[in-house]
Amino acid sequence: MALEQEKMMKKMCHVDGFIAALDQSGGSTPKALKLYGINDDEYEVGEESMFDQVHKMRTRIMTSPKFNGDRILGTILFEDTMNREIEGAPTAEYLWKKKEIVPFLKVDKGLEPEKDGVQLMKPISKLNEMCDAAVDNGVFGTKMRSVINFADLSGIKQIVEQQFDFGKKIMAKGLIPILEPEVNIKSPEKAECEAMLRAELMENLKLLRNDQKLMFKLTLPDVDDLYETLVTHPNVVRVVALSGGYTRAEADDLLARQHGVVASFSRALTEGLRDDLTPEEFDTMLDTSIGEIFDASKASPVTKELHTHKA
């Protein structure tokens, strides 16, 4: 393992903090921009002008003095963001060398229509090329999302199998994949979905070699500490939680009850941030958000011994 990758691994395993998800892609970007105060008449959806606006927003967040490695472990980037620069440096390099924040890359290309109660990922036709570019940019790992809507065992098995299949290809490139089989928080069978998902994740972990390491990004569960066996598993670097549509207060409350799980929030992180805030107002609001999420992430820590074999 290269020296910088080893330093990133130690940070991910041992340091308190959370992962900031700044990886909204083409489909979710207009909503994120609207919440930020940028109207859709200021850019063309899906065109360069839209990505310019979202990069400007992300740059403001990442260059804030409040956004640093003291409380933030890592940041998940959209491919376009990775390929751009911040203050004259490639984004991933800026995050690690300037902020000491571990960079991740979103690699999925969206969701298939629902079938068997789930939405699988669309094919990732250029996965090898994306992984090679991530390695060249000094990225630590990847993230890919699929969605579970109903407690259909056949569908959940397909979701987990697909996540692990892609994950193994990513691990072979020397990257740490974050597998994100999200359970829809509005599912009428949420608890049943989560129980089935945990069982399938544990079964697939049994098939990994000792040197194959990954992470999970999971919906905050109805049952506290449901994912404790994943948190302590030797192949799992970290388990992180998505906010999934909960408000920041709701997500923080649920997160604080999950031992060893830390946040990987997107909407909950940027809640209340707007383009028209003064620099002082912006930094104050971001500082509050980061502080609340950080406190929730370390409210129920896993004992450090559980991570010592992973560094």
Side-chain angles (χ1 to χ4, degrees):
M1 182 181 291
L3 180 60
E4 291 304 306
Q5 194 84 350
E6 186 176 341
K7 289 178 181 177
M8 292 181 191
M9 177 67 87
K10 288 182 177 179
K11 176 156 192 170
M12 291 307 305
C13 288
H14 295 294
V15 178
D16 286 330
F18 67 95
I19 295 178
L22 300 177
D23 60 327
Q24 296 94 345
S25 56
S28 56
T29 295
K31 182 176 180 181
L33 286 173
K34 186 174 183 179
L35 290 171
Y36 184 60
I38 303 294
N39 295 320
D40 56 13
D41 60 359
E42 297 179 54
Y43 60 88
E44 191 170 347
V45 176
E47 298 299 326
E48 193 72 9
S49 58
M50 182 184 80
F51 295 112
D52 288 343
Q53 289 284 2
V54 78
H55 188 67
K56 183 179 176 182
M57 176 184 73
R58 289 168 178 158
T59 297
R60 190 179 186 190
I61 292 169
M62 288 187 278
T63 56
S64 168
K66 305 302 181 182
F67 192 91
N68 59 63
D70 292 343
R71 295 178 293 181
I72 299 171
L73 294 173
T75 298
I76 304 171
L77 305 171
F78 179 50
E79 186 178 15
D80 179 77
T81 308
M82 181 188 75
N83 292 333
R84 293 181 183 240
E85 293 185 346
I86 295 179
E87 295 185 348
T91 302
E93 178 183 317
Y94 173 86
L95 284 169
W96 179 240
K97 292 188 176 179
K98 178 80 172 179
K99 297 281 189 166
E100 296 186 345
I101 293 173
V102 178
F104 291 82
L105 174 66
K106 168 189 164 72
V107 295
D108 70 83
K109 297 300 180 182
L111 301 172
E112 297 280 16
E114 183 182 308
K115 183 180 178 182
D116 297 326
V118 304
Q119 289 177 272
L120 294 169
M121 291 179 283
K122 291 180 179 178
I124 310 176
S125 59
K126 295 185 177 180
L127 180 62
N128 285 334
E129 292 91 330
M130 292 181 72
C131 288
D132 290 340
V135 171
D136 290 343
N137 275 274
V139 167
F140 177 73
T142 64
K143 196 267 307 190
M144 50 195 172
R145 170 180 174 264
S146 44
V147 176
I148 299 167
N149 294 312
F150 297 99
D152 184 306
L153 184 57
S154 173
I156 292 173
K157 283 180 177 288
Q158 292 174 59
I159 282 268
V160 174
E161 180 180 350
Q162 185 189 47
Q163 286 277 353
F164 271 83
D165 283 348
F166 281 131
K168 289 172 185 174
K169 294 175 182 176
I170 291 163
M171 286 185 275
K173 291 287 188 176
L175 297 163
I176 304 297
I178 301 176
L179 312 189
E180 184 185 7
E182 175 182 346
V183 175
N184 188 336
I185 65 168
K186 297 180 180 179
S187 170
E189 303 169 327
K190 182 172 179 288
E192 294 89 340
C193 290
E194 290 166 345
M196 289 180 180
L197 175 61
R198 181 186 64 174
E200 291 304 314
L201 293 177
M202 290 300 297
E203 284 300 309
N204 278 265
L205 282 170
K206 293 177 183 178
L207 305 177
L208 296 182
R209 301 189 311 268
N210 291 341
D211 64 332
Q212 291 178 303
K213 309 294 184 184
L214 49 70
M215 297 171 61
F216 291 115
K217 180 169 178 174
L218 303 171
T219 303
L220 290 159
D222 283 4
V223 177
D224 290 348
D225 284 335
L226 180 71
Y227 297 124
E228 186 174 14
T229 52
L230 299 176
V231 170
T232 59
H233 195 283
N235 289 95
V236 180
V237 174
R238 208 98 193 215
V239 177
V240 301
L242 57 107
S243 50
Y246 291 118
T247 65
R248 185 166 70 241
E250 291 170 333
D252 287 344
D253 179 63
L254 288 167
L255 176 62
R257 304 203 299 267
Q258 315 304 321
H259 286 78
V261 178
V262 302
S264 177
F265 293 170
S266 175
R267 279 168 290 182
L269 171 66
T270 58
E271 186 179 299
L273 296 179
R274 288 184 57 84
D275 180 58
D276 58 5
L277 294 176
T278 67
E280 294 77 15
E281 291 170 336
F282 186 91
D283 288 343
T284 297
M285 183 160 288
L286 183 60
D287 183 50
T288 298
S289 174
I290 290 171
E292 290 176 357
I293 297 170
F294 175 79
D295 288 343
S297 291
K298 71 172 190 173
S300 294
V302 66
T303 54
K304 294 297 180 183
E305 293 77 27
L306 297 173
H307 288 309
T308 55
H309 58 296
K310 300 175 187 171

